[in-house]
Amino acid sequence: MAKSSPVFTCQTCGAVHRKWAGRCDACGAWNSIVEETPLSSGPKALGSKGRTIALSDLATEEAAPPRTSSGIDELDRVLGGGLVPASAILVGGDPGIGKSTLLLQAAASFANGGVKCLYISGEEAAAQVRMRAQRLGLGQAPVALGAETNLRDILTTLDAERPALAIIDSIQTMWLDNVESAPGSVAQVRASAHELVTFAKRRGVAIVIVGHVTKEGQIAGPRVVEHMVDTVLYFEGERGHQFRILRAVKNRFGPADEIGVFEMTGGGLAQVANPSALFLSDRDQPAPGSAVFAGIEGTRPVLTEIQALVSPSPLGTPRRTVVGLDSGRLSTILAVLEARCGIPFAGLDVFLNVAGGMRVSEPAADLAVAAALVSAREDVAIPPDMVLFGEISLSGALRPVAQTESRLKEASKLGFSQAIAPTRSKVGQDEGMRVRQMPDLAAFVGEMFGAG
Ligand code: TYD
Ligand code: MG
């Protein structure tokens, strides 16, 4: 086949030029044109014959992928029941949140379970990683450790060693010598991740890629890699809190939205098997502005405390500060309280917080948020043995939410004895919970606070 002539493509707008120029005619960008080798496929290049690919029907029986347990239950759950061989997993998170610690512990745990495991650090020297491992009491685990950033050398090593699991920490430090840009640039991160994912599939090595979340700027974030990998996990948490949540955002081999809860301690990350108890443990006396939300995270019910503070504002535009919830959701709930229940928040600063550094994204939290807000404003405490859940519509009606029963069961298990739920929720006969069903927010506010 004749070699196709080179093309020059503007990296900013994608315009294709016949020859190189300093400035792109199409978009006016300077120094954005680079030579690219055209793909030797496409209809024209296809003059010669390809091969026919094997097709199958959807009904073909497929065995579930075999899984290897990490020995860390919270991690296994997020992976969808264990590590799938030859899969590519991205673990993203803010710098310093504990990704390296988590993966070092996971590597040690896998290795102790007989899984051949390689940990490649591009950020820390081998001695540093070793010191950390010893401090965490993992010094004896048979993990093979490497400190390297040259991806070609790493892949050669992986090919020779053929581990079952390789951890690459982090993708932003890796570089390929055939890509002409600095490590951490979009081009390097994308090309390196592509090489790693291809290698994982071809050689049957599960690869975990660590990616730092970056606030804009020179370094490409893990989003660049998300579409290439099978599983995307984010490690989240508030810096000031000890809780860390590992959340599956995408999983080709299991449910997304599943969470694993950990606690950062002096001796590394510890699993938290019962997160509800932990997120609620700081509650002492019933206080105005606090409401307990019975939520669902992935497949697991989790109770969280929503806290609100409302105070007269010295500012022309009162403050609306939210931690752990969507601020748009707060505005909507404030508007519904004002319009449908006659409870105005004008001239008042509003602070809303989910206790323990948890993030809540379920609309089912609406009712607990509204309850915390009104409780704070009216200075009336909600009974400490009460949980709430329900979505609030713009009309002020309460909409039923999924999995009512598991929410109630979890609440009952933790010693709660009453619940407020939307009418039409599927409440079973059970558990010594007194469940009151409310049609709308105004009815709830009227009954609970005598307001509105
Ligand atoms: P690290 O895993 O290095 O974060 P990342 O790889 O996401 O950048 O975690 C660093 C933080 O974790 C550091 O600020 C100290 C804290 N930490 C502990 O509190 N206890 C420990 O046992 C370890 C190893 C770290
Ligand atoms: Mg790190």
Side-chain angles (χ1 to χ4, degrees):
M1 204 196 304
K3 190 175 180 302
S4 38
S5 50
V7 294
F8 296 86
T9 313
C10 170
Q11 299 293 295
T12 310
C13 70
V16 178
H17 304 265
R18 280 190 166 224
K19 55 183 202 284
W20 189 86
R23 180 169 182 267
C24 171
D25 304 336
C27 68
W30 287 94
N31 276 334
S32 65
I33 297 179
V34 297
E35 180 177 342
E36 281 183 351
T37 323
L39 291 176
S40 57
S41 60
K44 265 196 190 143
L46 275 182
S48 61
K49 272 227 179 104
R51 68 188 170 84
T52 7
I53 57 171
L55 302 172
S56 63
D57 54 34
L58 291 174
T60 309
E61 284 288 327
E62 200 64 60
R67 292 176 184 274
T68 316
S69 165
S70 63
I72 303 177
D73 293 342
E74 294 293 303
L75 176 61
D76 285 348
R77 183 205 333 268
V78 177
L79 288 173
L83 181 72
V84 175
S87 63
I89 298 156
L90 170 71
V91 176
D94 290 332
I97 203 74
K99 299 180 295 299
S100 302
T101 309
L102 174 72
L103 291 172
L104 189 61
Q105 288 182 252
S109 184
F110 270 117
N112 285 331
V115 176
K116 185 169 179 186
C117 193
L118 236 71
Y119 185 102
I120 309 287
S121 177
E123 305 202 326
E124 292 159 289
Q128 263 175 301
V129 181
R130 207 174 296 123
M131 257 160 53
R132 177 185 301 191
Q134 282 160 9
R135 200 156 54 75
L136 297 176
L138 306 171
Q140 302 308 314
V143 177
L145 185 62
E148 185 51 65
T149 55
N150 183 334
L151 201 66
R152 188 180 300 268
D153 295 347
I154 292 173
L155 290 177
T156 308
T157 312
L158 289 183
D159 208 15
E161 295 281 335
R162 292 294 172 94
L165 170 66
I167 293 164
I168 307 293
D169 186 6
S170 66
I171 191 68
Q172 279 105 347
T173 55
M174 296 297 146
W175 60 282
L176 277 165
D177 45 19
N178 58 348
V179 177
E180 275 186 36
S181 48
S185 63
V186 175
Q188 278 289 5
V189 166
R190 196 181 282 155
S192 304
H194 179 75
E195 288 297 328
L196 285 166
V197 173
T198 317
F199 182 89
K201 303 288 158 202
R202 196 167 295 161
R203 296 284 191 257
V205 175
I207 294 190
V208 175
I209 299 171
V210 176
H212 293 295
V213 171
T214 49
K215 310 262 175 289
E216 286 191 54
Q218 299 303 304
I219 301 185
R223 296 209 160 257
V224 174
V225 181
E226 279 185 0
H227 67 280
M228 291 183 219
V229 297
D230 300 310
T231 302
V232 177
L233 310 179
Y234 276 95
F235 205 37
E236 333 173 319
E238 298 291 326
R239 213 45 96 74
H241 284 284
Q242 70 272 41
F243 309 125
R244 298 284 182 270
I245 290 160
L246 186 65
R247 188 184 296 273
V249 183
K250 156 180 169 181
N251 196 346
R252 287 185 185 146
F253 305 113
D257 271 343
E258 198 65 83
I259 63 166
V261 184
F262 296 88
E263 187 176 359
M264 184 59 101
T265 67
L269 289 157
Q271 302 191 65
V272 176
N274 189 347
S276 302
L278 193 123
F279 289 129
L280 296 175
S281 62
D282 311 349
R283 279 158 44 92
D284 26 34
Q285 295 306 306
S290 153
V292 176
F293 165 52
I296 300 281
E297 292 288 341
T299 53
R300 184 162 56 162
V302 175
L303 303 196
T304 36
E305 182 190 348
I306 314 266
Q307 303 166 336
L309 176 66
V310 174
S311 67
S313 178
L315 305 171
T317 313
R319 257 182 292 234
R320 302 283 183 255
T321 306
V322 192
V323 178
L325 278 155
D326 179 34
S327 60
R329 212 55 214 159
L330 171 64
S331 311
T332 310
I333 293 169
L334 290 176
V336 173
L337 280 171
E338 173 146 13
R340 309 295 177 195
C341 310
I343 303 179
F345 282 82
L348 297 170
D349 282 336
V350 174
F351 304 90
L352 195 70
N353 180 30
V354 181
M358 178 77 183
R359 274 204 72 81
V360 174
S361 53
E362 254 194 303
D366 289 356
L367 181 58
V369 171
L373 289 169
V374 181
S375 162
R377 188 183 184 283
E378 304 293 315
D379 203 27
V380 175
I382 293 169
D385 63 343
M386 175 182 280
V387 296
L388 306 100
F389 55 88
E391 183 179 347
I392 298 173
S393 71
L394 291 183
S395 67
L398 290 183
R399 285 212 206 106
V401 294
Q403 306 197 44
T404 300
E405 240 171 284
S406 13
R407 296 175 201 265
L408 292 174
K409 210 173 265 171
E410 175 80 359
S412 159
K413 208 168 76 191
L414 287 157
F416 288 82
S417 55
Q418 42 177 330
I420 306 284
T423 338
R424 289 186 291 122
S425 301
K426 293 199 195 76
V427 181
Q429 295 301 77
D430 59 347
E431 290 114 28
M433 285 288 277
R434 195 156 64 87
V435 183
R436 266 183 298 165
Q437 304 201 8
M438 302 275 179
D440 55 37
L441 192 55
F444 165 71
V445 167
E447 183 162 326
M448 179 70 78
F449 305 102

